[in-house]
Amino acid sequence: MKITFCGAARQVTGSMHLLELESGYRVLIDCGLDYEQQREFHRGAKVNFPFMPSSIDLMILTHAHIDHSGNIPTLVRQGFEGKILCTPPTAELTGSLLLDSLKIMEMEMRKKEANRKKGKKGNNQGSIYGYRDLTEALERMITLPFDKDFEVNEFLSIRFQEAGHILGAASVKMTIQEKGKQRVVGFTGDLGNYSSKLMKDPTPFEGIDYLITESTYGGRVHAAKRTPEEELMHYIDETCVKQPGRLVIPAFSVGRTQAIIFALNELYQQGRLPAIKFFVDSPLAIRTTDTYAKYSEYMNEESQQFMHRYGSLFDFEYLEYISDKRDSEKVQDHYEPCVIISAAGMVEGGRIQEHVRNNIRNTYCTILIAGFCAEGTLGHRLLSGQGHVHINGKEFPVFSKVEKTDAFSAHPDHAGLKQFIEASGGKNLKGIFLVHGEEASMLSLASDLELNDYKNVFVPEKLEQFEVM
Ligand SMILES: [Zn+2]
């Protein structure tokens, strides 16, 4: 069998890996957008797959995040006719995320069309895919539970297991029979952090020969000294109690937002929250929160007990969800101290960009970055301490405070990754492939493993192919 690393190779985002069996059967694992592509994608740039979409027999989707799922409708549009295997929450969350992505794309198209009519430059490309492709992609999904073997054919069976990370996120174990031999490959998808809010710990693989693992936080240590609740309390105190300020938290709509709301709800039930407004300004986050509530059995024990006791994980007196764009603008007229949680997490696009733009010159404001920000994003520029930043082509001085917390990280750090690799076979593995990380992070993890006598650690280049025997 052969594995080709079509994406997320020496890069975070763009997860896409092709498994080709001797029989000619071809499986695509994840079909995500990479970060650079995402920008152009919404402007209608053509997607070129490094394979014929019609030649793929089956797709496996590890979780809903757009850097794992965003190219699925395009894959369908360009000729893929197979089924897509994923867990039930992943199917539902992917539907919400892809719909959101399509709406952004259409909005960009309308803007371009308006500019074209005004005689401004720009070509007249249409959307990359439409509602029909999206609906078809969702109809192709076959949902499987965790921890049950699913026989695809006589050569291949697959099994999903808990990855942590976000609701329904799966690691996938693939058992392949070829030339009278059995080979087992484990692909982590994105792993969750150990002891995270809401999600269970990732389950390590048993009995695998090869491991393909994410390495987002290779070489890095989660520095949070406080629990997620204490971390939030600290910034709420500093920003909204000791001074009349606004705490602005950019957070991914799927996963991070729910973990933050749950931590706030715990603080509320303990009587520790000040009586100020907590706005969640993201229609996608609202839909996602409903899905989390629907599949509460996928969450950890702590969350289930809390739900049993208080009836809801994601609702408390001071919390206000904002769906309508006009209400979003009204948040700016709320002159009392408040907390604003909005997407996108890397502060690239979405309503958060407006909240950051409106508050960046406010010395009473703190922007609290709660997740990974890829290089080139506004979140990354803010974190690098620039005195001025460009937002939508306009320059703004940075007078607000910019802080960072790892307390809500949805990925394991260096030690967590090593723990997972060790528990999944460690030095007995025939090969360990590192994916989904920036090059420096991957090389740092690889050299640490090699120093500890691990053999056969690979950091594949994009489109590199490995023959796996
Ligand atoms: Zn993810």
Side-chain angles (χ1 to χ4, degrees):
M1 105 191 90
K2 221 166 34 183
I3 301 171
T4 311
F5 297 90
C6 304
R10 301 192 178 220
Q11 184 182 31
V12 176
T13 72
S15 188
M16 201 186 298
H17 311 289
L18 178 63
L19 185 75
E20 292 171 85
L21 306 189
E22 289 287 325
S23 63
Y25 197 80
R26 302 179 109 208
V27 184
L28 189 67
I29 311 161
D30 285 344
C31 191
L33 279 175
D34 68 30
Y35 157 66
E36 291 94 19
Q37 199 191 4
Q38 195 166 346
R39 263 188 193 168
E40 296 310 312
F41 180 81
H42 287 138
R43 293 173 191 151
K46 180 150 174 34
V47 178
N48 294 309
F49 293 104
F51 45 78
M52 287 284 287
S54 59
S55 73
I56 304 295
D57 296 292
L58 178 75
M59 225 213 97
I60 296 172
L61 175 61
T62 59
H63 68 287
H65 278 153
I66 219 78
D67 63 323
H68 295 253
S69 69
N71 271 324
I72 295 175
T74 315
L75 189 78
V76 168
R77 184 167 189 132
Q78 293 190 19
F80 168 65
E81 290 188 335
K83 299 286 184 200
I84 302 165
L85 305 181
C86 61
T87 65
T90 295
E92 192 162 319
L93 291 172
T94 304
S96 298
L97 270 160
L98 291 178
L99 185 63
D100 190 67
S101 189
L102 181 56
K103 282 183 180 162
I104 296 172
M105 206 187 314
E106 287 182 337
M107 208 169 67
E108 291 288 336
M109 293 300 145
R110 282 197 294 274
K111 259 194 238 167
K112 251 166 70 170
E113 183 59 22
N115 282 340
R116 208 178 57 82
K117 280 186 183 156
K118 282 185 208 157
K120 291 189 184 170
K121 276 188 187 162
N123 55 23
N124 190 24
Q125 272 171 325
S127 288
I128 308 172
Y129 64 82
Y131 284 94
R132 186 186 290 188
D133 307 302
L134 172 54
T135 310
E136 204 177 319
L138 299 178
E139 283 171 0
R140 299 273 184 81
M141 289 182 174
I142 294 182
T143 59
L144 304 175
F146 284 136
D147 303 322
K148 282 231 162 66
D149 290 322
F150 177 78
E151 205 166 295
V152 175
N153 56 37
E154 57 184 304
F155 309 111
L156 174 69
S157 84
I158 78 142
R159 182 184 180 95
F160 284 142
Q161 55 185 59
E162 179 70 57
H165 192 56
I166 63 163
L167 193 79
S171 295
V172 52
K173 184 175 173 181
M174 293 162 279
T175 304
I176 297 127
Q177 312 285 346
E178 274 180 351
K179 298 177 185 165
K181 277 198 218 157
Q182 176 175 293
R183 287 285 171 259
V184 187
V185 179
F187 174 56
T188 61
D190 284 2
L191 293 172
N193 201 5
Y194 290 91
S195 309
S196 68
K197 297 265 16 134
L198 295 175
M199 301 317 303
K200 296 172 186 169
D201 284 349
T203 307
F205 289 111
E206 273 177 30
I208 57 169
D209 301 297
Y210 296 91
L211 175 67
I212 305 168
T213 178
E214 69 120 313
S215 50
T216 315
Y217 278 95
R220 282 189 269 184
V221 179
H222 287 328
K225 293 181 190 73
R226 294 176 280 243
T227 62
E229 301 85 70
E230 296 310 323
E231 193 82 331
L232 282 176
M233 214 48 241
H234 169 77
Y235 288 109
I236 292 168
D237 243 12
E238 293 294 313
T239 313
C240 309
V241 177
K242 290 185 186 162
Q243 60 178 38
R246 280 181 180 159
L247 179 60
V248 176
I249 310 178
F252 295 106
S253 310
V254 179
R256 199 69 42 88
T257 296
Q258 289 71 35
I260 292 171
I261 299 171
F262 176 46
L264 289 170
N265 197 359
E266 285 184 308
L267 289 166
Y268 172 79
Q269 297 299 347
Q270 293 160 14
R272 296 178 62 195
L273 281 191
I276 58 172
K277 279 277 185 199
F278 293 79
F279 297 106
V280 176
D281 184 13
S282 159
L284 177 58
I286 298 170
R287 281 202 300 279
T288 304
T289 303
D290 290 343
T291 308
Y292 266 68
K294 179 173 163 188
Y295 291 102
S296 59
E297 75 274 16
Y298 281 79
M299 287 185 256
N300 62 22
E301 198 55 36
E302 178 203 12
S303 319
Q304 294 193 36
Q305 279 177 12
F306 187 95
M307 181 131 172
H308 191 65
R309 186 160 177 201
Y310 297 104
S312 170
L313 293 170
F314 307 115
D315 203 11
F316 58 92
E317 190 188 351
Y318 311 144
L319 185 70
E320 190 174 324
Y321 287 100
I322 292 175
S323 183
D324 197 287
K325 184 88 172 76
R326 281 164 298 189
D327 292 334
S328 168
E329 284 153 15
K330 275 190 225 156
V331 172
Q332 295 311 323
D333 301 330
H334 182 84
Y335 290 110
E336 302 293 318
C338 66
V339 175
I340 302 167
I341 303 158
S342 185
M346 299 192 197
V347 207
E348 277 295 298
R351 291 185 186 178
I352 189 63
Q353 213 164 46
E354 284 164 44
H355 292 297
V356 166
R357 195 184 59 208
N358 289 328
N359 290 288
I360 201 158
R361 287 169 290 189
N362 176 356
T363 51
Y364 286 143
C365 168
T366 300
I367 299 165
L368 179 61
I369 307 275
F372 182 84
C373 288
E375 275 181 42
T377 58
L378 178 54
H380 192 270
R381 296 203 299 280
L382 286 168
L383 280 174
S384 66
Q386 295 181 4
H388 290 77
V389 287
H390 279 90
I391 305 177
N392 285 337
K394 209 174 153 197
E395 191 177 78
F396 291 84
V398 182
F399 295 144
S400 66
K401 291 187 200 74
V402 179
E403 302 280 359
K404 178 180 186 294
T405 175
D406 289 331
F408 290 93
S409 179
H411 295 269
D413 66 0
H414 188 89
L417 286 164
K418 275 177 75 181
Q419 182 183 334
F420 186 87
I421 295 168
E422 185 69 39
S424 297
K427 289 171 195 164
N428 296 326
L429 294 167
K430 291 192 174 75
I432 301 173
F433 299 93
L434 305 184
V435 296
H436 201 282
E438 284 174 353
E439 195 167 24
S441 303
M442 296 172 140
L443 296 177
S444 166
L445 181 60
S447 67
D448 189 11
L449 291 171
E450 279 158 2
L451 275 175
N452 284 285
D453 291 331
Y454 275 75
K455 307 277 185 282
N456 303 327
V457 180
F458 303 99
V459 183
E461 301 275 358
K462 197 167 181 177
L463 294 179
E464 200 167 346
Q465 245 177 25
F466 285 80
E467 200 72 56
V468 173
M469 314 295 274

